[in-house]
Amino acid sequence: MSRTASTAMQAGLQSCGTCALLSRPAHGAERGLCPRCGDELTFRKPYSLQRTWAYLVAAAICYVPANLLPVLTTTTPEGTESDTILQGVALLWSPTGWPLSLIVLCASIVIPSVKILAMGYILVSVGRGSVANTVQRIRLYRTVELIGRWSMVDVFVDTFTAALVQLQPLMSVSPAPGLFFFAAVVVLTMLAVDAFDPRLIWDADSANEPQYA
Ligand SMILES: [Zn+2]
């Protein structure tokens, strides 16, 4: 990114987070509202770094029980069996079932951990005021934002399985506590991505930046 590029903040303008219209900030302590869509105007999302960190740490904490606790409980005449995500991946692995097994592995274990690590890296680099790899970091952020919705795949797979396999009294499947932690990881990482203001990535790169945020 060019170091000579100027930002709206440098020009003293606020861009609307919803419709991207540029406006002059309201005078004094007045709360600025977008003249087009009525959304509140700020130079940067307030407390973006702190809020993103809070959601991300909460997601990382929930990630542990999401993987250690069972996500599905299967009841058959032989007894009740609870499986964690990893046990489910192993259980699904068969000559015909391996694609589903891979989908669950990627959606439940690989993607959430990559998202948490990627957001952690972006937060640490922004916190340190790093000016390196701004383009790569913004691409990383957009990728994390894009894949966010696919994290729900696992919850879908589990709830579908639970809904399909209800052959009571022969066999039934129900969600176990791990699934709630897993859903919490998905929601918290989505909130973390939403709380982060990507413009912070290039703020450190803009010379003579007036500090409004
Ligand atoms: Zn607007």
Side-chain angles (χ1 to χ4, degrees), residues 90-119:
L91 213 64
L92 285 170
W93 193 265
S94 66
T96 50
W98 64 267
L100 188 60
S101 175
L102 276 185
I103 289 173
V104 174
L105 181 72
C106 283
S108 337
I109 295 171
V110 180
I111 290 177
S113 48
V114 166
K115 274 177 78 180
I116 292 172
L117 290 175
M119 284 309 292

PDB file of all heavy atoms in Angstrom, residues 90-119:
ATOM      1  N   ALA A  90     -13.464 -39.690  13.488  1.00  0.00           N
ATOM      2  CA  ALA A  90     -12.933 -41.055  13.353  1.00  0.00           C
ATOM      3  C   ALA A  90     -14.058 -42.034  13.015  1.00  0.00           C
ATOM      4  O   ALA A  90     -13.889 -42.945  12.204  1.00  0.00           O
ATOM      5  CB  ALA A  90     -12.235 -41.458  14.646  1.00  0.00           C
ATOM      6  N   LEU A  91     -15.238 -41.808  13.631  1.00  0.00           N
ATOM      7  CA  LEU A  91     -16.383 -42.689  13.430  1.00  0.00           C
ATOM      8  C   LEU A  91     -16.917 -42.612  11.996  1.00  0.00           C
ATOM      9  O   LEU A  91     -17.318 -43.613  11.407  1.00  0.00           O
ATOM     10  CB  LEU A  91     -17.490 -42.266  14.406  1.00  0.00           C
ATOM     11  CG  LEU A  91     -18.393 -43.340  14.970  1.00  0.00           C
ATOM     12  CD1 LEU A  91     -17.583 -44.307  15.828  1.00  0.00           C
ATOM     13  CD2 LEU A  91     -19.492 -42.708  15.809  1.00  0.00           C
ATOM     14  N   LEU A  92     -16.875 -41.388  11.440  1.00  0.00           N
ATOM     15  CA  LEU A  92     -17.399 -41.176  10.081  1.00  0.00           C
ATOM     16  C   LEU A  92     -16.438 -41.697   9.016  1.00  0.00           C
ATOM     17  O   LEU A  92     -16.823 -41.895   7.871  1.00  0.00           O
ATOM     18  CB  LEU A  92     -17.643 -39.684   9.832  1.00  0.00           C
ATOM     19  CG  LEU A  92     -18.863 -39.054  10.481  1.00  0.00           C
ATOM     20  CD1 LEU A  92     -18.811 -37.535  10.318  1.00  0.00           C
ATOM     21  CD2 LEU A  92     -20.142 -39.573   9.858  1.00  0.00           C
ATOM     22  N   TRP A  93     -15.153 -41.866   9.405  1.00  0.00           N
ATOM     23  CA  TRP A  93     -14.131 -42.249   8.428  1.00  0.00           C
ATOM     24  C   TRP A  93     -14.378 -43.670   7.930  1.00  0.00           C
ATOM     25  O   TRP A  93     -14.271 -44.628   8.673  1.00  0.00           O
ATOM     26  CB  TRP A  93     -12.742 -42.135   9.053  1.00  0.00           C
ATOM     27  CG  TRP A  93     -11.678 -42.216   8.001  1.00  0.00           C
ATOM     28  CD1 TRP A  93     -11.011 -43.337   7.619  1.00  0.00           C
ATOM     29  CD2 TRP A  93     -11.184 -41.149   7.204  1.00  0.00           C
ATOM     30  NE1 TRP A  93     -10.132 -43.019   6.613  1.00  0.00           N
ATOM     31  CE2 TRP A  93     -10.219 -41.686   6.331  1.00  0.00           C
ATOM     32  CE3 TRP A  93     -11.478 -39.778   7.117  1.00  0.00           C
ATOM     33  CZ2 TRP A  93      -9.540 -40.905   5.399  1.00  0.00           C
ATOM     34  CZ3 TRP A  93     -10.794 -39.007   6.200  1.00  0.00           C
ATOM     35  CH2 TRP A  93      -9.843 -39.578   5.353  1.00  0.00           C
ATOM     36  N   SER A  94     -14.766 -43.769   6.655  1.00  0.00           N
ATOM     37  CA  SER A  94     -15.007 -45.078   6.038  1.00  0.00           C
ATOM     38  C   SER A  94     -14.799 -44.890   4.537  1.00  0.00           C
ATOM     39  O   SER A  94     -14.710 -43.742   4.070  1.00  0.00           O
ATOM     40  CB  SER A  94     -16.439 -45.544   6.335  1.00  0.00           C
ATOM     41  OG  SER A  94     -17.348 -44.690   5.692  1.00  0.00           O
ATOM     42  N   PRO A  95     -14.734 -45.983   3.744  1.00  0.00           N
ATOM     43  CA  PRO A  95     -14.531 -45.814   2.298  1.00  0.00           C
ATOM     44  C   PRO A  95     -15.549 -44.892   1.638  1.00  0.00           C
ATOM     45  O   PRO A  95     -15.244 -44.206   0.668  1.00  0.00           O
ATOM     46  CB  PRO A  95     -14.665 -47.240   1.757  1.00  0.00           C
ATOM     47  CG  PRO A  95     -14.284 -48.110   2.899  1.00  0.00           C
ATOM     48  CD  PRO A  95     -14.739 -47.402   4.146  1.00  0.00           C
ATOM     49  N   THR A  96     -16.785 -44.830   2.157  1.00  0.00           N
ATOM     50  CA  THR A  96     -17.780 -43.950   1.544  1.00  0.00           C
ATOM     51  C   THR A  96     -17.984 -42.671   2.351  1.00  0.00           C
ATOM     52  O   THR A  96     -18.392 -41.651   1.809  1.00  0.00           O
ATOM     53  CB  THR A  96     -19.138 -44.674   1.422  1.00  0.00           C
ATOM     54  OG1 THR A  96     -19.442 -45.247   2.691  1.00  0.00           O
ATOM     55  CG2 THR A  96     -19.114 -45.754   0.355  1.00  0.00           C
ATOM     56  N   GLY A  97     -17.694 -42.728   3.640  1.00  0.00           N
ATOM     57  CA  GLY A  97     -18.015 -41.580   4.505  1.00  0.00           C
ATOM     58  C   GLY A  97     -16.894 -40.576   4.685  1.00  0.00           C
ATOM     59  O   GLY A  97     -17.095 -39.555   5.345  1.00  0.00           O
ATOM     60  N   TRP A  98     -15.712 -40.838   4.065  1.00  0.00           N
ATOM     61  CA  TRP A  98     -14.582 -39.944   4.340  1.00  0.00           C
ATOM     62  C   TRP A  98     -14.781 -38.499   3.914  1.00  0.00           C
ATOM     63  O   TRP A  98     -14.278 -37.600   4.592  1.00  0.00           O
ATOM     64  CB  TRP A  98     -13.276 -40.515   3.782  1.00  0.00           C
ATOM     65  CG  TRP A  98     -13.235 -40.654   2.279  1.00  0.00           C
ATOM     66  CD1 TRP A  98     -13.568 -41.749   1.547  1.00  0.00           C
ATOM     67  CD2 TRP A  98     -12.848 -39.651   1.340  1.00  0.00           C
ATOM     68  NE1 TRP A  98     -13.428 -41.496   0.218  1.00  0.00           N
ATOM     69  CE2 TRP A  98     -12.986 -40.219   0.056  1.00  0.00           C
ATOM     70  CE3 TRP A  98     -12.407 -38.332   1.457  1.00  0.00           C
ATOM     71  CZ2 TRP A  98     -12.700 -39.500  -1.103  1.00  0.00           C
ATOM     72  CZ3 TRP A  98     -12.121 -37.613   0.298  1.00  0.00           C
ATOM     73  CH2 TRP A  98     -12.266 -38.203  -0.962  1.00  0.00           C
ATOM     74  N   PRO A  99     -15.550 -38.194   2.815  1.00  0.00           N
ATOM     75  CA  PRO A  99     -15.712 -36.760   2.508  1.00  0.00           C
ATOM     76  C   PRO A  99     -16.422 -36.013   3.639  1.00  0.00           C
ATOM     77  O   PRO A  99     -16.017 -34.915   4.014  1.00  0.00           O
ATOM     78  CB  PRO A  99     -16.562 -36.754   1.229  1.00  0.00           C
ATOM     79  CG  PRO A  99     -16.373 -38.095   0.622  1.00  0.00           C
ATOM     80  CD  PRO A  99     -16.224 -39.026   1.778  1.00  0.00           C
ATOM     81  N   LEU A 100     -17.455 -36.643   4.203  1.00  0.00           N
ATOM     82  CA  LEU A 100     -18.185 -36.017   5.320  1.00  0.00           C
ATOM     83  C   LEU A 100     -17.265 -35.862   6.522  1.00  0.00           C
ATOM     84  O   LEU A 100     -17.268 -34.838   7.217  1.00  0.00           O
ATOM     85  CB  LEU A 100     -19.404 -36.879   5.673  1.00  0.00           C
ATOM     86  CG  LEU A 100     -20.382 -36.262   6.682  1.00  0.00           C
ATOM     87  CD1 LEU A 100     -20.942 -34.951   6.155  1.00  0.00           C
ATOM     88  CD2 LEU A 100     -21.510 -37.233   6.986  1.00  0.00           C
ATOM     89  N   SER A 101     -16.436 -36.906   6.750  1.00  0.00           N
ATOM     90  CA  SER A 101     -15.484 -36.878   7.849  1.00  0.00           C
ATOM     91  C   SER A 101     -14.520 -35.696   7.692  1.00  0.00           C
ATOM     92  O   SER A 101     -14.234 -34.976   8.654  1.00  0.00           O
ATOM     93  CB  SER A 101     -14.714 -38.200   7.874  1.00  0.00           C
ATOM     94  OG  SER A 101     -13.714 -38.163   8.836  1.00  0.00           O
ATOM     95  N   LEU A 102     -14.040 -35.481   6.460  1.00  0.00           N
ATOM     96  CA  LEU A 102     -13.124 -34.367   6.190  1.00  0.00           C
ATOM     97  C   LEU A 102     -13.812 -33.015   6.380  1.00  0.00           C
ATOM     98  O   LEU A 102     -13.215 -32.083   6.928  1.00  0.00           O
ATOM     99  CB  LEU A 102     -12.576 -34.458   4.756  1.00  0.00           C
ATOM    100  CG  LEU A 102     -11.365 -35.352   4.520  1.00  0.00           C
ATOM    101  CD1 LEU A 102     -10.896 -35.215   3.080  1.00  0.00           C
ATOM    102  CD2 LEU A 102     -10.217 -34.994   5.472  1.00  0.00           C
ATOM    103  N   ILE A 103     -15.083 -32.935   5.939  1.00  0.00           N
ATOM    104  CA  ILE A 103     -15.834 -31.678   6.099  1.00  0.00           C
ATOM    105  C   ILE A 103     -15.956 -31.340   7.587  1.00  0.00           C
ATOM    106  O   ILE A 103     -15.710 -30.213   8.009  1.00  0.00           O
ATOM    107  CB  ILE A 103     -17.240 -31.779   5.435  1.00  0.00           C
ATOM    108  CG1 ILE A 103     -17.097 -31.799   3.909  1.00  0.00           C
ATOM    109  CG2 ILE A 103     -18.122 -30.615   5.856  1.00  0.00           C
ATOM    110  CD1 ILE A 103     -18.393 -32.072   3.163  1.00  0.00           C
ATOM    111  N   VAL A 104     -16.319 -32.339   8.390  1.00  0.00           N
ATOM    112  CA  VAL A 104     -16.478 -32.104   9.825  1.00  0.00           C
ATOM    113  C   VAL A 104     -15.125 -31.728  10.447  1.00  0.00           C
ATOM    114  O   VAL A 104     -15.047 -30.805  11.265  1.00  0.00           O
ATOM    115  CB  VAL A 104     -17.089 -33.349  10.517  1.00  0.00           C
ATOM    116  CG1 VAL A 104     -17.121 -33.159  12.031  1.00  0.00           C
ATOM    117  CG2 VAL A 104     -18.493 -33.599  10.005  1.00  0.00           C
ATOM    118  N   LEU A 105     -14.060 -32.397  10.026  1.00  0.00           N
ATOM    119  CA  LEU A 105     -12.724 -32.096  10.559  1.00  0.00           C
ATOM    120  C   LEU A 105     -12.329 -30.651  10.250  1.00  0.00           C
ATOM    121  O   LEU A 105     -11.880 -29.915  11.127  1.00  0.00           O
ATOM    122  CB  LEU A 105     -11.683 -33.060   9.979  1.00  0.00           C
ATOM    123  CG  LEU A 105     -10.254 -32.866  10.467  1.00  0.00           C
ATOM    124  CD1 LEU A 105     -10.099 -33.324  11.902  1.00  0.00           C
ATOM    125  CD2 LEU A 105      -9.255 -33.596   9.582  1.00  0.00           C
ATOM    126  N   CYS A 106     -12.536 -30.234   8.988  1.00  0.00           N
ATOM    127  CA  CYS A 106     -12.181 -28.866   8.585  1.00  0.00           C
ATOM    128  C   CYS A 106     -13.061 -27.849   9.293  1.00  0.00           C
ATOM    129  O   CYS A 106     -12.573 -26.878   9.861  1.00  0.00           O
ATOM    130  CB  CYS A 106     -12.335 -28.690   7.074  1.00  0.00           C
ATOM    131  SG  CYS A 106     -11.007 -29.428   6.159  1.00  0.00           S
ATOM    132  N   ALA A 107     -14.393 -28.093   9.258  1.00  0.00           N
ATOM    133  CA  ALA A 107     -15.324 -27.103   9.798  1.00  0.00           C
ATOM    134  C   ALA A 107     -15.220 -26.989  11.307  1.00  0.00           C
ATOM    135  O   ALA A 107     -15.375 -25.896  11.855  1.00  0.00           O
ATOM    136  CB  ALA A 107     -16.750 -27.460   9.399  1.00  0.00           C
ATOM    137  N   SER A 108     -14.930 -28.104  12.012  1.00  0.00           N
ATOM    138  CA  SER A 108     -14.988 -28.041  13.472  1.00  0.00           C
ATOM    139  C   SER A 108     -13.646 -27.824  14.130  1.00  0.00           C
ATOM    140  O   SER A 108     -13.588 -27.262  15.208  1.00  0.00           O
ATOM    141  CB  SER A 108     -15.552 -29.322  14.052  1.00  0.00           C
ATOM    142  OG  SER A 108     -16.315 -29.977  13.142  1.00  0.00           O
ATOM    143  N   ILE A 109     -12.584 -28.292  13.530  1.00  0.00           N
ATOM    144  CA  ILE A 109     -11.297 -28.199  14.218  1.00  0.00           C
ATOM    145  C   ILE A 109     -10.348 -27.244  13.494  1.00  0.00           C
ATOM    146  O   ILE A 109      -9.809 -26.322  14.101  1.00  0.00           O
ATOM    147  CB  ILE A 109     -10.671 -29.599  14.396  1.00  0.00           C
ATOM    148  CG1 ILE A 109     -11.575 -30.408  15.337  1.00  0.00           C
ATOM    149  CG2 ILE A 109      -9.252 -29.506  14.956  1.00  0.00           C
ATOM    150  CD1 ILE A 109     -11.248 -31.849  15.459  1.00  0.00           C
ATOM    151  N   VAL A 110     -10.211 -27.417  12.181  1.00  0.00           N
ATOM    152  CA  VAL A 110      -9.218 -26.611  11.442  1.00  0.00           C
ATOM    153  C   VAL A 110      -9.660 -25.148  11.339  1.00  0.00           C
ATOM    154  O   VAL A 110      -8.934 -24.247  11.774  1.00  0.00           O
ATOM    155  CB  VAL A 110      -8.959 -27.204  10.037  1.00  0.00           C
ATOM    156  CG1 VAL A 110      -7.938 -26.378   9.287  1.00  0.00           C
ATOM    157  CG2 VAL A 110      -8.495 -28.655  10.152  1.00  0.00           C
ATOM    158  N   ILE A 111     -10.880 -24.911  10.808  1.00  0.00           N
ATOM    159  CA  ILE A 111     -11.302 -23.523  10.553  1.00  0.00           C
ATOM    160  C   ILE A 111     -11.379 -22.679  11.841  1.00  0.00           C
ATOM    161  O   ILE A 111     -10.804 -21.597  11.878  1.00  0.00           O
ATOM    162  CB  ILE A 111     -12.621 -23.484   9.740  1.00  0.00           C
ATOM    163  CG1 ILE A 111     -12.345 -23.975   8.310  1.00  0.00           C
ATOM    164  CG2 ILE A 111     -13.211 -22.072   9.700  1.00  0.00           C
ATOM    165  CD1 ILE A 111     -13.562 -24.067   7.413  1.00  0.00           C
ATOM    166  N   PRO A 112     -12.033 -23.161  12.928  1.00  0.00           N
ATOM    167  CA  PRO A 112     -12.071 -22.302  14.122  1.00  0.00           C
ATOM    168  C   PRO A 112     -10.680 -21.972  14.677  1.00  0.00           C
ATOM    169  O   PRO A 112     -10.435 -20.837  15.065  1.00  0.00           O
ATOM    170  CB  PRO A 112     -12.877 -23.121  15.134  1.00  0.00           C
ATOM    171  CG  PRO A 112     -13.629 -24.091  14.339  1.00  0.00           C
ATOM    172  CD  PRO A 112     -12.822 -24.379  13.122  1.00  0.00           C
ATOM    173  N   SER A 113      -9.762 -22.963  14.666  1.00  0.00           N
ATOM    174  CA  SER A 113      -8.436 -22.659  15.224  1.00  0.00           C
ATOM    175  C   SER A 113      -7.674 -21.699  14.318  1.00  0.00           C
ATOM    176  O   SER A 113      -6.998 -20.791  14.803  1.00  0.00           O
ATOM    177  CB  SER A 113      -7.644 -23.938  15.483  1.00  0.00           C
ATOM    178  OG  SER A 113      -7.689 -24.782  14.375  1.00  0.00           O
ATOM    179  N   VAL A 114      -7.817 -21.867  12.985  1.00  0.00           N
ATOM    180  CA  VAL A 114      -7.149 -20.941  12.048  1.00  0.00           C
ATOM    181  C   VAL A 114      -7.712 -19.526  12.224  1.00  0.00           C
ATOM    182  O   VAL A 114      -6.971 -18.542  12.241  1.00  0.00           O
ATOM    183  CB  VAL A 114      -7.318 -21.432  10.592  1.00  0.00           C
ATOM    184  CG1 VAL A 114      -6.946 -20.346   9.593  1.00  0.00           C
ATOM    185  CG2 VAL A 114      -6.463 -22.670  10.350  1.00  0.00           C
ATOM    186  N   LYS A 115      -9.047 -19.432  12.409  1.00  0.00           N
ATOM    187  CA  LYS A 115      -9.672 -18.115  12.595  1.00  0.00           C
ATOM    188  C   LYS A 115      -9.155 -17.427  13.854  1.00  0.00           C
ATOM    189  O   LYS A 115      -8.825 -16.241  13.839  1.00  0.00           O
ATOM    190  CB  LYS A 115     -11.194 -18.273  12.709  1.00  0.00           C
ATOM    191  CG  LYS A 115     -11.896 -18.305  11.391  1.00  0.00           C
ATOM    192  CD  LYS A 115     -13.373 -18.547  11.588  1.00  0.00           C
ATOM    193  CE  LYS A 115     -14.102 -17.310  12.037  1.00  0.00           C
ATOM    194  NZ  LYS A 115     -15.551 -17.581  12.211  1.00  0.00           N
ATOM    195  N   ILE A 116      -9.090 -18.192  14.957  1.00  0.00           N
ATOM    196  CA  ILE A 116      -8.637 -17.612  16.226  1.00  0.00           C
ATOM    197  C   ILE A 116      -7.174 -17.161  16.099  1.00  0.00           C
ATOM    198  O   ILE A 116      -6.815 -16.054  16.504  1.00  0.00           O
ATOM    199  CB  ILE A 116      -8.829 -18.622  17.388  1.00  0.00           C
ATOM    200  CG1 ILE A 116     -10.337 -18.830  17.640  1.00  0.00           C
ATOM    201  CG2 ILE A 116      -8.149 -18.132  18.662  1.00  0.00           C
ATOM    202  CD1 ILE A 116     -10.676 -19.932  18.613  1.00  0.00           C
ATOM    203  N   LEU A 117      -6.335 -18.007  15.477  1.00  0.00           N
ATOM    204  CA  LEU A 117      -4.918 -17.661  15.319  1.00  0.00           C
ATOM    205  C   LEU A 117      -4.745 -16.452  14.395  1.00  0.00           C
ATOM    206  O   LEU A 117      -3.954 -15.546  14.686  1.00  0.00           O
ATOM    207  CB  LEU A 117      -4.135 -18.858  14.762  1.00  0.00           C
ATOM    208  CG  LEU A 117      -3.948 -20.034  15.722  1.00  0.00           C
ATOM    209  CD1 LEU A 117      -3.269 -21.199  15.007  1.00  0.00           C
ATOM    210  CD2 LEU A 117      -3.133 -19.614  16.943  1.00  0.00           C
ATOM    211  N   ALA A 118      -5.510 -16.431  13.281  1.00  0.00           N
ATOM    212  CA  ALA A 118      -5.380 -15.329  12.326  1.00  0.00           C
ATOM    213  C   ALA A 118      -5.793 -14.010  12.966  1.00  0.00           C
ATOM    214  O   ALA A 118      -5.095 -12.997  12.833  1.00  0.00           O
ATOM    215  CB  ALA A 118      -6.226 -15.608  11.083  1.00  0.00           C
ATOM    216  N   MET A 119      -6.932 -14.000  13.690  1.00  0.00           N
ATOM    217  CA  MET A 119      -7.380 -12.771  14.333  1.00  0.00           C
ATOM    218  C   MET A 119      -6.394 -12.359  15.430  1.00  0.00           C
ATOM    219  O   MET A 119      -6.141 -11.168  15.619  1.00  0.00           O
ATOM    220  CB  MET A 119      -8.792 -12.939  14.927  1.00  0.00           C
ATOM    221  CG  MET A 119      -9.924 -12.914  13.926  1.00  0.00           C
ATOM    222  SD  MET A 119      -9.912 -11.511  12.803  1.00  0.00           S
ATOM    223  CE  MET A 119     -10.269 -10.143  13.910  1.00  0.00           C
TER     224      MET A 119
END
